Amino acid sequence: MTTELDRDPVVLDEPTWRARAAAHRDRVGRWTDPHRERRRRGEPHPVLDFLFTYYSLRPARLEQWLPGPGVVLLGAEELLDVPGHVRHGAGVRLDPDALPERISRTARFVHDLLVATAARPPRLGCFGLHEWAMVYRSDAPRHGQVPLRLGSAGTDAVVDSLPVHCTHHDAFRFFTDAARPLNALQPARSEQIAHEQPGCLHATMDLYKWAYKLSPATPAGLLADCFELAVDVRELDMRASPYDLADLGYAPVQIETPAGRAEYARAQAGFARRAAPLRSRLVALCRLLESADG
């Protein structure tokens, strides 16, 4: 099978790649610049902070443009300080064999996880109850500065009235003690590959995490595509949550009603479709990195 390593590389002159780098910075700056300003003011954001706290990539790293495999950049000597980048004739390119060994280990895990996830049909019946289960019968909601839309008793009643079926370990681990036995599964970290499925909003957002875990091998365009999808998914995640975010401009998806559940499932299916090609691109990158010596 032909890979990026077997093909002649694309050569970009300095004006071309610097223009792409500036466009990338502008694209993600839509979110990184306001995040920095909120942080300067000490102003938390219950929806968007998640993308910079739970997901740990620093804004400056998200803004950095890197070409990924199969590209030679002219006039890019500064990239020689980035792991895995080497001289190639008159330019600089990523050499997968020069990457830290941790990248190939990560690529093997991410490959197996994403291939297994893609092989399963999306499950669209969870209705975002993971966020509700995180405050079920609790006096200390995770976003204490934001009111619960239905109040504590109303929130608990929704969880009691619907089946809870969360397949994502990193969501399930934040369930309250009272909510854990209600879940149809008890997903453990060791069972992640066995349980993740493409309808899960958190599995879709995690494509961003896997993209930056493979950095500096991940092309900036793929990283930005995964981040942008994560932003949109996070919005639905919190609109369908028990929190009242109307003052921040987020209209609720009322999953306590049949119409709200149908709206959620439609959006969930749309995100699963958007995620599929990104997952495939990440799998292809993983295969290339696995084939390198490390």
Side-chain angles (χ1 to χ4, degrees):
M1 180 178 64
T2 301
T3 72
E4 293 287 347
L5 297 178
D6 302 315
R7 301 189 184 104
D8 291 335
V10 174
V11 179
L12 300 181
D13 62 26
E14 187 171 355
T16 298
W17 74 258
R18 288 199 184 276
R20 293 187 185 186
H24 171 78
R25 168 63 181 82
D26 289 345
R27 178 184 179 185
V28 299
R30 174 183 169 189
W31 295 283
T32 57
D33 290 341
H35 173 72
R36 287 191 181 96
E37 180 59 25
R38 288 192 303 271
R39 189 171 56 185
R40 186 188 66 79
R41 297 194 305 261
E43 180 183 296
H45 195 293
V47 178
L48 298 177
D49 283 354
F50 179 85
L51 299 160
F52 300 99
T53 54
Y54 175 82
Y55 293 116
S56 59
L57 190 69
R58 297 191 307 275
R61 289 281 305 281
L62 176 59
E63 292 165 350
Q64 183 182 26
W65 185 84
L66 292 172
V71 181
V72 174
L73 305 181
L74 302 181
E77 279 70 22
E78 66 259 40
L79 290 189
L80 292 173
D81 294 331
V82 177
H85 289 76
V86 301
R87 293 191 183 278
H88 183 94
V92 174
R93 70 174 176 90
L94 175 77
D95 179 359
D97 289 334
L99 287 165
E101 198 273 334
R102 67 169 179 83
I103 297 293
S104 61
R105 289 199 310 268
T106 299
R108 285 190 289 273
F109 170 77
V110 174
H111 173 273
D112 291 348
L113 175 66
L114 298 188
V115 168
T117 302
R120 299 186 179 104
R123 302 187 66 160
L124 306 177
C126 71
F127 308 125
L129 280 170
H130 56 276
E131 287 288 341
W132 300 68
M134 293 176 192
V135 298
Y136 179 69
R137 297 187 182 177
S138 171
D139 296 326
R142 297 181 66 227
H143 299 286
Q145 75 277 21
V146 183
L148 296 173
R149 186 166 53 82
L150 303 179
S152 294
T155 298
D156 293 347
V158 171
V159 178
D160 287 331
S161 69
L162 294 170
V164 185
H165 201 300
C166 179
T167 57
H168 195 272
H169 167 74
D170 280 320
F172 176 72
R173 68 190 177 97
F174 291 108
F175 281 27
T176 64
D177 290 342
R180 284 175 171 266
L182 302 179
N183 199 38
L185 296 173
Q186 301 291 300
R189 174 75 67 198
S190 60
E191 299 170 326
Q192 188 172 8
I193 291 175
H195 288 309
E196 287 204 8
Q197 47 85 21
C200 172
L201 293 193
H202 278 263
T204 296
M205 284 191 284
D206 279 353
L207 294 178
Y208 170 57
K209 175 171 68 175
W210 305 130
Y212 72 70
K213 291 287 188 182
L214 297 170
S215 182
T218 307
L222 176 55
L223 181 67
D225 288 345
C226 291
F227 179 79
E228 192 165 316
L229 178 57
V231 172
D232 292 344
V233 173
R234 175 62 176 172
E235 179 176 325
L236 174 66
D237 195 32
M238 292 303 285
R239 287 179 59 215
S241 78
Y243 298 102
D244 185 349
L245 299 165
D247 287 348
L248 291 173
Y250 297 96
V253 175
Q254 298 175 339
I255 60 97
E256 69 273 17
T257 69
R261 292 193 290 275
E263 179 184 357
Y264 183 91
R266 285 194 299 272
Q268 194 177 21
F271 286 134
R273 288 192 293 272
R274 280 180 61 185
L278 298 183
R279 189 176 288 111
S280 294
R281 288 163 66 188
L282 284 169
V283 166
L285 178 61
C286 287
R287 286 175 176 157
L288 186 152
L289 297 175
E290 285 181 282
S291 69
D293 293 335

